[in-house]
Amino acid sequence: MIVLGIETSCDETAVAVVDVEKRQILAQQIYSQVAEHAPYAGVVPEIASRAHLERLPALTSQTLKDAGLELAGIDAVAATVGPGLTTALLVGTTFAKTLAVALGKPFLAANHIEGHALSPMLAGAEPPYLLLLVSGGHTQLAMVDKVGSYTLLGSTLDDAVGEAFDKVGQMLKLPYPPGPQVERVAATGNGAGIELPFPKNDRSLDFSFAGLKTAVLDLLNGKNRHENADIAAAFQQACVTILTKKSQLALKQTGAKTFVAAGGVAANAAIRAGLQAAAAKHGAQFIAPPLALCTDNAAMIAFAAGLRAVHKLPSGNLSTRPVPRHPLDMPWPPATA
């Protein structure tokens, strides 16, 4: 089953062609809108939507060319219908639905979070596995029992870890996008002498990062001035500690033999190392997708939507409308128009 996937949930315009049953990415293109949003130090939905609209046709043509396929060789067209920025989702879903109608092919609705949750399967993971999803909008632990069956174990009660990285990067006046820059700066610092709190340090599997972010702000406003690199290193280590300790609790509670990490923050080398050590401590295999599949991409969208179709699970239709919020453990697809 060859699926053309479209991802426009936020500020990456992405197109991919995936052979679902072979778990093979035939081609993919990603256009990052960093330059468009940098002057505003954040994602502007209207600008994101216009950039998606301008880039999608050319990206689709190039992706098909790279895959060595014509449109007629596609079996289905998939697009992210949520969660995400509503106007950005509308651009991608409208483009994908139009293609599907013109080709007489099925339209498949993809859940962005499910895309992240199933992306480790493109790197060799097989359900059941324990998932830690860490991104700019999500931080949650869940059991992926099988395709379409997920048990949410815990999630953030306030900020996602990726959002905390972005906000701390802004406090340190790092270039846009600030979150990934924190890792770069932290590599040159030493946070050993800086104490930061561990919010939600209990036996639950829920997370909290708002207090940690505030503690960094207090450091910057305090009398005892620290180097930015040292603050970045201390903050990153605090995040590693929080994520690994909660993951260890989840591994112990579930007895999972495979532990996977997905989402943009899973590209952070220090966090990957901490999670891998946590898995080893509990005798579990650790798997994370390649870095290109951690950030938002269309390969995971085509793959997740295609897997639902292959497993004969509800996968939406032309009436399925975009939704800004839709948790992983809620029925999919969302309501239709």
Side-chain angles (χ1 to χ4, degrees):
M1 184 179 188
I2 308 298
V3 178
L4 173 68
I6 307 291
E7 157 61 22
T8 61
S9 64
C10 191
D11 60 340
E12 262 102 19
T13 311
V15 182
V17 178
V18 175
D19 185 324
V20 175
E21 288 161 302
K22 290 183 179 179
R23 300 188 186 182
Q24 182 180 2
I25 302 170
L26 302 182
Q28 64 174 327
Q29 290 283 328
I30 303 175
Y31 174 74
S32 178
Q33 301 174 6
V34 168
E36 283 89 340
H37 300 288
Y40 308 97
V43 178
V44 181
E46 177 64 21
I47 292 175
S49 303
R50 288 180 180 273
H52 291 317
L53 188 62
E54 292 169 0
R55 298 282 177 169
L56 271 175
L59 284 176
T60 302
S61 295
Q62 186 61 51
T63 304
L64 287 166
K65 182 179 179 181
D66 292 346
L69 292 171
E70 301 289 339
L71 278 170
I74 299 299
D75 295 314
V77 184
T80 306
V81 299
L85 302 174
T86 303
T87 53
L89 292 168
L90 277 168
V91 173
T93 54
T94 302
F95 183 84
K97 288 177 180 180
T98 302
L99 270 182
V101 170
L103 296 170
K105 305 288 186 179
F107 168 77
L108 307 177
N111 182 333
H112 182 84
I113 305 177
E114 186 175 40
H116 279 304
L118 298 179
S119 64
M121 292 177 66
L122 288 168
E126 290 291 343
Y129 52 75
L130 174 66
L131 164 73
L132 174 66
L133 175 59
V134 279
S135 68
H138 305 92
T139 302
Q140 54 190 226
L141 283 159
M143 275 302 299
V144 176
D145 302 305
K146 59 182 179 179
V147 177
S149 178
Y150 315 105
T151 304
L152 185 63
L153 304 174
S155 61
T156 183
L157 303 179
D158 40 60
D159 296 344
V161 63
E163 182 182 356
F165 264 86
D166 283 338
K167 294 296 175 60
V168 168
Q170 287 179 330
M171 294 176 198
L172 298 176
K173 297 180 170 52
L174 300 180
Y176 183 85
Q181 297 294 332
V182 172
E183 180 183 11
R184 177 184 62 80
V185 174
T188 66
N190 182 357
I194 300 175
E195 290 188 12
L196 289 172
F198 184 154
K200 201 61 183 169
N201 187 10
D202 55 20
R203 303 296 295 178
S204 78
L205 297 180
D206 290 324
F207 301 87
S208 173
F209 292 95
L212 178 59
K213 183 180 66 179
T214 301
V216 172
L217 182 61
D218 289 342
L219 271 178
L220 291 169
N221 292 334
K223 293 181 180 179
N224 297 324
R225 191 68 178 92
H226 298 276
E227 295 294 328
N228 280 3
D230 294 341
I231 294 174
F235 166 76
Q236 179 173 265
Q237 184 54 49
C239 290
V240 171
T241 300
I242 293 167
L243 293 172
T244 54
K245 285 192 174 181
K246 293 289 185 176
S247 296
Q248 286 177 349
L249 284 171
L251 284 164
K252 185 176 181 179
Q253 288 183 24
T254 62
K257 297 303 181 185
T258 304
F259 175 42
V260 307
V265 181
N268 181 292
I271 289 175
R272 278 197 183 218
L275 298 177
Q276 188 161 18
K281 186 175 181 179
H282 289 270
Q285 180 186 20
F286 177 71
I287 298 175
L291 299 185
L293 292 180
C294 287
T295 54
D296 292 351
N297 64 88
M300 69 179 190
I301 298 306
F303 183 62
L307 275 180
R308 292 190 70 89
V310 168
H311 286 79
K312 301 188 185 307
L313 297 169
S315 51
N317 53 47
L318 294 172
S319 298
T320 306
R321 62 174 183 260
V323 289
R325 295 182 180 275
H326 200 282
L328 179 63
D329 58 339
M330 284 182 65
W332 189 256
T336 55

